[in-house]
Amino acid sequence: MKKSIKRKNEMEKAQRAVACECIAVSQAASDPFGYYARMRHRVRRFILHVGPTNSGKTHDALQSLMDAGDGVYLAPLRLLALETGERLRAQGLRCDIITGEERSIEFGATFSSRTVEMFDTERSYRCVVIDEAQMISDPRRGGAWTRAILAADAPQIHICMADEALALVTRLIAMCGDDIEIVRHRRATGLSVEPEPLDGDPMPDDALIAFDRTDVLELAASIEARGIPTAVIYGALPWPARRAEAKRFATGEAEVLIATDAIGMGLNLPIRRVVFTATTKYDGKASRSLTTAEIKQIAGRAGRRGMYQQGFVTSTCRANDWLRHRLEEQVRPLTAARLAFPQELGMETAVPLTLLLKVWAKTPMSYDMLRRIDLTGPITIATMLEGVGAGSGTRFPSDRQTLLGMAFLPVDPQRDLDEVMALYQGLKRKTHPLLPGGGAWAHDYDTGEPRSLIRLERLLRTLGIRFAFARKLNIMDRAMEERFAATRMRLEHDVIVKVTGSKAALLERRLADEDEWNVRDEHGVWRF
């Protein structure tokens, strides 16, 4: 027994040494600036749009993109990629829309609206717009912004960001030897915190902010019971339903908006006053106070440009003084950008993928401005799949490429492991049970039985995971993609029907699905 343990320890030590050597000789891991330089073929001109929420940064950058006649918009969120793609199409421009969960391709498109993770670094553009670049420091996703800035091959690149990201982004660009122009944006309307908290009914054009989907619907039902029509927006709400609710609010059909912090990015709404109903949120790990940056992002939605001379902020939780202090406070400058794991390094088969990921995550960086992304999710998935033989062979589906692709699926490692395991096991069958044509797919998506709102949202989320899985592993054909699109459209229509109706009816249904509603869907995984 002792000899067996000793041999195992010696083997792990040897593999760790090999992993360290692989990382040391990988240019992508050791010298990202030199590695991404080979993807660029010109000196680039960066225009940095710096300013607060509601200051016209993205508007001006998108105008430059349209003027260029060719280019790509890179969004922080799936919903924002969809919104911007539709906005470009509404201008008569042919625009592809590509996210991790769907693709809408137009013949002869010269524009593309994508989530930042879906950026194609293999082609050149006339213009690139990178939005919400302050997310470059996000532990899980920041590497996608770093990659876009270092790899984008275009003569003109616009980056929209909050002020705290300016110094860091400027340093990154300087390391690439490119030109920089800084454009400062100011709010066209003032923003002030009211002296007293809200005590009574909300006013028309108010947006009440809660930080949990359950709280949003309960608050909406309570306000509707007083004869005030409401609209709701939260993270799990699919884009068509979110757009429908935004339209109801914009036209006055709904007088008050109830939303989570999902309104912080995208959708310019006619909000006169933002009302915080809480100052804490659950971030996936614990309940914590809102950060200064989060408060500024949300509060900044008040006082829409061109509609109001002034935006207002208040609370229902006696936090006005605290909010005023936070809005006056400067956000600390970001100090480090995140670096994504290089996929080609993951193809090194001399070392188990799990060990390679762990060693890479702990290897010191040569640049003080860079930090490695958090690989907790990919390590968890790789460990689980390697336990059933994934990555141990040379033929599909036991090959390393399949394991690597699945390790980086956009899933929540705390909640989606059963789905990921089922997706992998299904690869061993002639017809994958979880994909169109499979038995489990038919059970989940092809029945005509009535479904609750929470069930519809869960099905849409799972649909996105399965779409990403099929695309990443190159098992998606045209017929399958069309089936995914039709199913998504049908489910989203059902969500619109439910969410634009009585919110009290949704709460009544919630009681029958209490176990499902107790899961905090809002904070599981970014949708990209």
Side-chain angles (χ1 to χ4, degrees):
M1 182 68 174
K2 290 183 178 180
K3 289 183 179 180
S4 176
I5 294 174
K6 183 178 180 181
R7 281 197 301 270
K8 182 180 179 182
N9 290 339
E10 288 175 349
M11 182 181 295
E12 288 183 356
K13 184 177 180 180
Q15 288 178 333
R16 187 174 292 274
V18 173
C20 291
E21 184 178 346
C22 292
I23 292 169
V25 300
S26 167
Q27 186 185 29
S30 59
D31 180 20
F33 294 101
Y35 173 76
Y36 286 112
R38 65 184 185 179
M39 300 179 183
R40 310 188 303 263
H41 303 94
R42 70 197 82 210
V43 174
R44 304 171 300 172
R45 177 170 170 261
F46 281 86
I47 299 91
L48 309 185
H49 298 266
V50 186
T53 304
N54 228 346
S55 60
K57 304 185 299 295
T58 304
H59 173 274
D60 290 358
L62 286 176
Q63 187 59 56
S64 296
L65 175 66
M66 290 186 283
D67 291 343
D70 168 280
V72 59
Y73 167 76
L74 302 178
L77 298 173
R78 168 182 170 266
L79 295 177
L80 198 49
L82 294 168
E83 177 189 342
T84 302
E86 289 189 357
R87 178 177 170 183
L88 292 173
R89 288 176 176 180
Q91 296 294 318
L93 304 173
R94 294 184 181 274
C95 180
D96 293 335
I97 301 175
I98 301 175
T99 78
E101 298 184 20
E102 68 264 286
R103 298 195 322 156
S104 176
I105 306 300
E106 290 202 332
F107 178 76
T110 56
F111 295 92
S112 180
S113 180
R114 302 170 176 241
T115 45
V116 66
E117 282 84 358
M118 304 304 293
F119 180 41
D120 182 2
T121 60
E122 298 297 319
R123 61 156 294 186
S124 299
Y125 306 88
R126 289 183 190 171
C127 182
V128 174
V129 174
I130 305 171
D131 208 355
E132 302 292 353
Q134 67 274 10
M135 290 188 68
I136 199 168
S137 288
D138 183 80
R140 287 188 296 169
R141 298 185 59 215
W145 277 264
T146 305
R147 172 176 171 266
I149 291 172
L150 298 185
D153 186 23
Q156 183 182 165
I157 302 173
H158 294 257
I159 307 181
C160 306
M161 71 190 82
D163 190 68
E164 61 266 23
L166 177 60
L168 176 59
V169 170
T170 301
R171 287 184 67 193
L172 285 175
I173 297 170
M175 290 291 291
C176 299
D178 295 305
D179 299 329
I180 300 173
E181 175 187 348
I182 299 173
V183 179
R184 294 279 183 177
H185 294 256
R186 308 294 180 192
R187 280 182 60 96
T189 59
L191 184 66
S192 61
V193 179
E194 294 182 337
E196 300 295 332
L198 176 64
D199 183 14
D201 288 339
M203 301 291 291
D205 300 336
D206 277 354
L208 277 65
I209 309 301
F211 295 95
D212 181 272
R213 186 235 329 263
T214 307
D215 294 339
V216 166
L217 293 176
E218 287 181 344
L219 192 56
S222 173
I223 292 172
E224 286 187 351
R226 288 174 260 165
I228 302 172
T230 70
V232 297
I233 290 178
Y234 51 86
L237 201 64
W239 164 244
R242 177 171 168 161
R243 180 180 53 198
E245 286 291 83
K247 183 178 180 180
R248 291 180 62 242
F249 180 63
T251 59
E253 179 183 345
E255 294 181 9
V256 175
L257 177 67
I258 318 295
T260 64
D261 48 347
I263 68 163
M265 295 182 186
L267 279 181
N268 284 317
L269 298 162
I271 299 170
R272 187 186 71 88
R273 180 173 64 173
V274 166
V275 183
F276 287 83
T277 66
T279 57
T280 61
K281 65 178 287 187
Y282 181 78
D283 62 6
K285 296 180 179 179
S287 183
R288 60 166 177 79
S289 295
L290 298 174
T291 66
T292 298
E294 288 169 339
I295 292 168
K296 288 178 180 251
Q297 185 88 31
I298 299 165
R301 287 296 171 190
R304 181 175 174 178
R305 189 177 186 175
M307 292 190 66
Y308 305 103
Q309 295 299 316
Q310 181 78 12
F312 298 94
V313 180
T314 188
S315 72
T316 60
C317 51
R318 299 190 176 279
N320 287 36
D321 289 342
W322 184 80
L323 289 169
R324 185 179 299 106
H325 175 72
R326 289 291 178 269
L327 287 172
E328 293 171 353
E329 189 176 64
Q330 291 296 316
V331 180
R332 292 180 180 179
L334 304 179
T335 57
R338 294 286 176 162
L339 185 66
F341 178 78
Q343 295 291 297
E344 59 271 33
L345 180 61
M347 291 301 294
E348 177 52 64
T349 57
V351 184
L353 179 60
T354 300
L355 181 59
L356 195 61
L357 293 172
K358 289 179 178 178
V359 173
W360 184 86
K362 294 181 180 179
T363 301
M365 292 294 307
S366 302
Y367 302 92
D368 63 354
M369 70 179 75
L370 296 177
R371 299 286 185 276
R372 302 187 191 279
I373 61 167
D374 182 354
L375 290 178
T376 301
I379 288 172
T380 300
I381 294 171
T383 301
M384 177 185 71
L385 295 181
E386 284 180 343
V388 294
S392 62
T394 58
R395 298 179 61 183
F396 181 83
S398 299
D399 59 303
R400 173 59 73 90
Q401 187 169 352
T402 299
L403 173 61
L404 182 64
M406 295 201 65
F408 283 88
L409 285 175
V411 300
D412 179 356
Q414 294 182 338
R415 294 165 41 208
D416 297 326
L417 290 183
D418 288 345
E419 177 75 12
V420 173
M421 178 60 80
L423 286 169
Y424 177 72
Q425 297 289 11
L427 292 171
K428 301 174 183 178
R429 301 187 183 184
K430 186 175 181 179
T431 300
H432 199 299
L434 299 182
L435 297 180
W441 171 280
H443 177 270
D444 290 340
Y445 294 106
D446 292 342
T447 60
E449 62 186 37
R451 298 184 175 105
S452 66
L453 176 62
I454 183 66
R455 178 63 177 158
L456 288 168
E457 290 169 355
R458 288 286 181 84
L459 287 172
L460 279 164
R461 187 169 176 279
T462 302
L463 189 76
I465 293 172
R466 296 180 186 181
F467 181 92
F469 163 80
R471 290 291 308 174
K472 184 157 280 193
L473 270 58
N474 295 318
I475 56 178
M476 178 89 76
D477 58 24
R478 183 173 181 178
M480 184 184 294
E481 188 162 354
E482 290 175 351
R483 188 80 173 274
F484 267 105
T487 302
R488 176 179 291 281
M489 189 178 300
R490 173 165 46 84
L491 294 175
E492 289 177 338
H493 174 267
D494 291 345
V495 172
I496 293 174
V497 171
K498 286 185 177 294
V499 84
T500 55
S502 166
K503 307 307 184 292
L506 298 178
L507 288 174
E508 290 170 6
R509 182 61 194 172
R510 190 203 78 182
L511 297 177
D513 298 314
E514 195 65 46
D515 289 340
E516 286 193 295
W517 277 78
N518 283 334
V519 178
R520 296 179 183 269
D521 287 271
E522 189 74 21
H523 311 285
V525 62
W526 289 97
R527 306 292 294 279
F528 55 84

